[in-house]
Amino acid sequence: MSRVTIKDKTFETSMTEADIKARVRELAQQMSRDLEGKNPLFLAVLNGAFIFAADLMREMTIPCEISFVKLASYQGTTSTGAIKEIIGINEDLAGRTVVIVEDIVESGLTMKRMIEQIGTRNPASVKVCTLFFKPERLKENLTLDYVAFSIPNDFILGYGLDYDQQGRGLKDLYTLVK
């Protein structure tokens, strides 16, 4: 296991890029089967999901589209609980199959807000795809249609996830050393 220091914190490798990409490939295969004939619109949540979304899209075998939305609720290593929309959805979602692509679902507050906002635009269906899920942190009643990894309640970074905007470019996943 390797260690990295980002700002004032030390992190240790907890999952390799190869393991992540293998699971993303499996998820894309499942989604391609489930969503065949629907031309889904993937809405990737910035900033954290951009690497996951890119890898997922490259593995999809059906026609699909992608766009981006930015919602923020983090500051440092903790959620502020206040969700602020920064960049909105510009596409017409009426009658579309929409797949929200998120880096991590913890409390579910951000995801609940996204699902509510998308629902006002009359999509045919809304699916949720997350790279990481922390089941013990969930506060909202949500259906997560596609979960790559369920993980413990540790602070993680790498593969798009950050600590105070740093560490997103790390290829592996790292967990905070306590």
Side-chain angles (χ1 to χ4, degrees), residues 106-109 135 137-141:
E106 294 183 46
S107 69
L109 294 170
R137 291 280 314 269
L138 192 65
K139 295 178 182 173
E140 299 292 335
N141 184 17

Side-chain angles (χ1 to χ4, degrees), residues 19-32:
D19 290 339
I20 296 168
K21 286 190 169 186
R23 180 64 183 123
V24 170
R25 188 174 310 111
E26 290 172 2
L27 206 58
Q29 290 168 354
Q30 178 187 354
M31 293 172 75
S32 292

